[in-house]
Amino acid sequence: MSDNLEISTMLFSLFGGLAIFIYSMNLMGDGLQKAAGEKMRRILEVLTSNPLMGILVGTLVTMIIQSSSATTVMVVGFVSAKLMTLPQAIGVIMGANIGTTVTAQIVAFNLGDYAYLITAIGFILFFFFNKKIIKYIGQTTFSFGLLFVGLNVMSNAMKPLAQSEVFTDIIYCVSNNPILGLIVGALVTLILQSSSATTAVLLNLAREVGADGQALISLQGALPILFGCNIGTTITAILASIGARINAKRAAMAHTIFNVAGSILFMLFLPYFAKFVAFISPKGQEIEVVGRQIANAHTSFNVINTILWLPFVALLAKIVTFIVRGEEDTEENRVLYLDYKILNNVAVAMDLATKELTRMAELARKMMANAKKAIINSDTDAAKKVHEIEDIVDMLQTEIIKYLSTMLSQSALTDRQSVRLAGLMHITNDIERMGDHCKNVAELAMEKIDRDLPFSKEAISDLSNAFNKLNDMVDHSIQSLSEGNISLAKKVLAEESEIDKLETDLRDRHIKRLDSGLCNPASTIMFIELIHNIERIADHCNNIAEAVLEDLENNSASPGTDSSPATDIP
């Protein structure tokens, strides 16, 4: 009975320590993202067609967010949204594999003796300081110390296990059968959904002294398990690609081929790779250096595998295109950019929402072009097109608001992000209202056609001129939204005043035409309603510009000046 209780206690301690480790990794990634500032969301935008740049960016992003799986899921989402090409995605995925090895290097330093000191310092920085940047550094430091607390708990649980003959026999079978080790590494990573966690457990096991007085797992015994970790981590990308567009599936397949092919190749040269790792690692007794050797093996495997594949990125893209066949759809009647799988990365998710908003605004712009055509040329087909596009705009409004609301409920937003999210919600409604006014114009056009109401040449000229000025204003507001352009946003504000003045002038000119008998009195109400709708569209463009300006002005403020009270706990 006591033996069973002791085994249960050890297992609970082991899994408890593992839970603390995984939680601290996620918390540290969140703190690093916040400390890096809002500009981190722009990192992926520097990508070019050069795969080397993609590798560097993938490495950097993964080092910041502390998860190759999160980077890969993000990449799959970007490919699905057509924000990234397949070759670019392959480069970033390769870099993500390198970036994730940083965690193993940190763990290999074995700072367990300082775990509680680091955790205490992090807690003080987070809890007693109000400046956001210090709080974020505190969160990162706290989680860094907590990471080693989890490792200490796991290590204490493993010490008695290492002396168990049954456990030692199991480890001996796994470490002396490379194929079995590969399978175990893959399965454990599949379950934990984190190659870093599997590697941390492997490092801790290797540091324990077995019943024979030697390291529980040798370097050569640990390598197949390590290779299996790289295979197991590909399942995250595969799951993320389910239901995504075909190029996203190809990106996930590229990740799988890259890791599986690399693992098989290194298995064939296992003894030589083990000698290489031992050569570049510190020298000494195995029990003292095996942790550093495993960390170096993890980094070396991913760096060498990336170097080997780098010249063949284009070939890999062709291979996955051949394996995952099909054509990219051109469907416009659905969401293109919103991806719920990356809501945990708020900055990137907001950028995707902005791109969907820009697309929604461009559709409203098409509605306006067709509304103008309908009223000026008495074109019934153009009027029908306005109604067709309006259904898409309404759908996008619903989906964008739902996406932003989910983000608000699932994520802890910074003050800066809260302001931006509120602005995006207001912009969504403004764009939808622009579409409504375009629909009003189309309905007035149909009424004009049905009732055969005549408009004078002067009235048609005035309306055409008003639509042209409005067209410029809408274009400027869309461009300011998509590019974050301050000068264009300010230009929209000035143009709105011109449209207000133009509405008054057009009304006065129409009254004069009525007095002189140039215009039909029956068309007066319709003309007034038309110019009112034009003015209302301009008002919504103005609202969009104001939201963009507020966002950019908040973004220019330094996060270090924020003195809001500390209310959240890491």
Side-chain angles (χ1 to χ4, degrees):
M1 180 71 176
S2 59
D3 289 342
N4 291 336
L5 181 62
E6 186 176 345
I7 293 173
S8 298
T9 302
M10 285 188 294
L11 290 175
F12 278 123
S13 297
L14 177 62
F15 289 116
L18 182 61
I20 293 173
F21 177 84
I22 294 174
Y23 170 74
S24 63
M25 272 202 312
N26 292 335
L27 192 63
M28 183 163 62
D30 181 60
L32 284 167
Q33 286 184 68
K34 291 176 179 176
E38 287 292 312
K39 291 184 179 178
M40 198 214 84
R41 74 179 190 267
R42 301 294 181 192
I43 292 176
L44 287 169
E45 293 184 7
V46 305
L47 287 172
T48 66
S49 57
N50 183 355
L52 181 59
M53 181 62 74
I55 291 169
L56 294 175
V57 171
T59 302
L60 178 61
V61 170
T62 305
M63 287 172 61
I64 292 174
I65 65 178
Q66 286 289 293
S67 172
S68 62
S69 296
T71 303
T72 305
V73 168
M74 204 185 309
V75 168
V76 169
F78 285 174
V79 173
S80 181
K82 293 185 177 181
L83 301 178
M84 188 181 291
T85 65
L86 185 57
Q88 283 177 326
I90 292 172
V92 177
I93 288 170
M94 289 177 173
N97 280 15
I98 296 173
T100 195
T101 65
V102 172
T103 306
Q105 293 290 348
I106 292 172
V107 171
F109 279 112
N110 197 16
L111 302 176
D113 293 340
Y114 307 98
Y116 293 105
L117 174 63
I118 297 170
T119 305
I121 292 172
F123 178 79
I124 290 169
L125 290 175
F126 182 88
F127 195 78
F128 293 104
F129 289 85
N130 288 332
K131 286 188 176 180
K132 287 292 183 182
I133 188 66
I134 296 179
K135 285 170 63 66
Y136 299 151
I137 293 172
Q139 178 181 333
T140 304
T141 307
F142 174 85
S143 51
F144 183 69
L146 196 63
L147 183 145
F148 287 98
V149 171
L151 288 173
N152 285 345
V153 173
M154 283 193 284
S155 179
N156 292 334
M158 288 176 185
K159 280 183 176 20
L161 280 175
Q163 302 303 316
S164 166
E165 290 188 11
V166 175
F167 185 73
T168 304
D169 288 342
I170 293 172
I171 295 298
Y172 180 82
C173 289
V174 172
S175 60
N176 285 276
N177 187 328
I179 301 299
L180 182 59
L182 187 77
I183 294 171
V184 168
L187 288 176
V188 172
T189 307
L190 282 174
I191 295 169
L192 297 181
Q193 289 286 287
S194 171
S195 60
S196 295
T198 310
T199 306
V201 173
L202 183 62
L203 275 165
N204 262 11
L205 276 174
R207 285 173 177 157
E208 298 301 329
V209 179
D212 57 358
Q214 301 297 317
L216 197 58
I217 302 178
S218 66
L219 171 63
Q220 190 156 329
L223 289 178
I225 301 174
L226 201 62
F227 300 154
C229 292
N230 285 275
I231 295 175
T233 196
T234 63
I235 190 63
T236 308
I238 293 173
L239 292 174
S241 70
I242 295 174
R245 307 179 87 170
I246 194 163
N247 260 353
K249 292 182 171 67
R250 288 168 180 164
M253 178 59 69
H255 186 210
T256 302
I257 292 175
F258 173 72
N259 281 12
V260 171
S263 298
I264 293 172
L265 178 64
F266 277 72
M267 286 285 284
L268 296 175
F269 297 94
L270 187 60
Y272 303 101
F273 183 60
K275 290 179 181 179
F276 169 76
V277 172
F279 175 75
I280 65 172
S281 300
K283 307 299 184 286
Q285 292 185 353
E286 185 179 50
I287 192 66
E288 297 175 352
V289 300
V290 69
R292 175 55 55 195
Q293 287 177 337
I294 291 174
N296 290 344
H298 192 30
T299 302
S300 298
F301 166 79
N302 285 290
V303 170
I304 295 172
N305 195 30
T306 297
I307 292 172
L308 291 175
W309 273 103
L310 183 57
F312 306 106
V313 169
L315 176 63
L316 181 55
K318 289 181 180 179
I319 291 172
V320 297
T321 301
F322 176 78
I323 294 173
V324 184
R325 301 191 182 191
E327 296 294 329
E328 275 292 306
D329 61 63
T330 57
E331 184 179 356
E332 292 293 324
N333 299 342
R334 71 178 183 89
V335 168
L336 295 183
Y337 300 114
L338 306 183
D339 189 343
Y340 284 84
K341 297 184 183 74
I342 60 173
L343 277 177
N344 60 326
N345 193 318
V346 175
V348 175
M350 283 191 181
D351 269 2
L352 292 181
T354 301
K355 290 185 181 297
E356 198 71 67
L357 269 174
T358 301
R359 175 173 168 250
M360 181 182 173
E362 288 169 349
L363 288 169
R365 165 73 177 76
K366 289 181 181 178
M367 289 180 69
M368 193 181 72
N370 280 286
K372 175 188 175 184
K373 190 176 179 181
I375 197 70
I376 300 296
N377 300 333
S378 298
D379 190 328
T380 55
D381 290 336
K384 290 177 182 177
K385 187 67 176 176
V386 170
H387 288 274
E388 291 173 7
I389 300 176
E390 200 234 352
D391 290 339
I392 303 175
V393 169
D394 287 347
M395 178 273 295
L396 289 177
Q397 181 204 24
T398 301
E399 292 300 325
I400 293 171
I401 293 295
K402 177 183 174 184
Y403 185 75
L404 294 172
S405 300
T406 305
M407 189 190 309
L408 182 62
S409 65
Q410 291 186 358
S411 306
L413 305 183
T414 64
D415 293 343
R416 158 85 182 88
Q417 290 168 341
S418 296
V419 170
R420 188 178 184 212
L421 186 141
L424 293 177
M425 283 191 168
H426 287 306
I427 290 173
T428 306
N429 291 325
D430 278 307
I431 295 172
E432 191 275 335
R433 292 297 295 146
M434 288 169 62
D436 286 346
H437 289 296
C438 290
K439 184 184 72 170
N440 292 344
V441 172
E443 289 175 348
L444 289 169
M446 291 300 293
E447 182 182 351
K448 173 178 174 288
I449 295 168
D450 291 341
R451 293 174 58 188
D452 195 22
L453 289 176
F455 272 26
S456 67
K457 290 182 180 180
E458 289 80 2
I460 291 293
S461 177
D462 281 351
L463 285 173
S464 181
N465 178 56
F467 271 111
N468 289 339
K469 287 184 179 296
L470 183 63
N471 180 71
D472 291 339
M473 189 177 181
V474 171
D475 285 345
H476 293 154
S477 63
I478 293 174
Q479 196 173 349
S480 69
L481 172 64
S482 63
E483 299 176 2
N485 192 311
I486 291 179
S487 60
L488 280 177
K490 290 180 177 178
K491 189 172 185 177
V492 171
L493 302 186
E495 289 171 330
E496 199 269 338
S497 298
E498 294 178 11
I499 294 289
D500 285 346
K501 184 177 181 300
L502 181 63
E503 180 191 20
T504 303
D505 291 344
L506 291 181
R507 186 182 290 109
D508 291 342
R509 286 162 60 87
H510 186 71
I511 296 299
K512 289 179 180 178
R513 287 195 296 270
L514 280 174
D515 289 342
S516 62
L518 287 175
C519 283
N520 188 327
S523 62
T524 297
I525 295 177
M526 182 175 292
F527 185 88
I528 297 300
E529 287 187 16
L530 284 170
I531 59 175
H532 175 69
N533 277 283
I534 290 173
E535 190 273 334
R536 293 298 295 135
I537 293 173
D539 284 345
H540 291 296
C541 288
N542 185 80
N543 293 343
I544 293 171
E546 286 180 343
V548 170
L549 283 173
E550 184 179 10
D551 178 48
L552 295 174
E553 286 167 0
N554 279 318
N555 192 31
S556 63
S558 170
T561 61
D562 192 332
S563 59
S564 57
T567 55
D568 43 346
I569 297 175

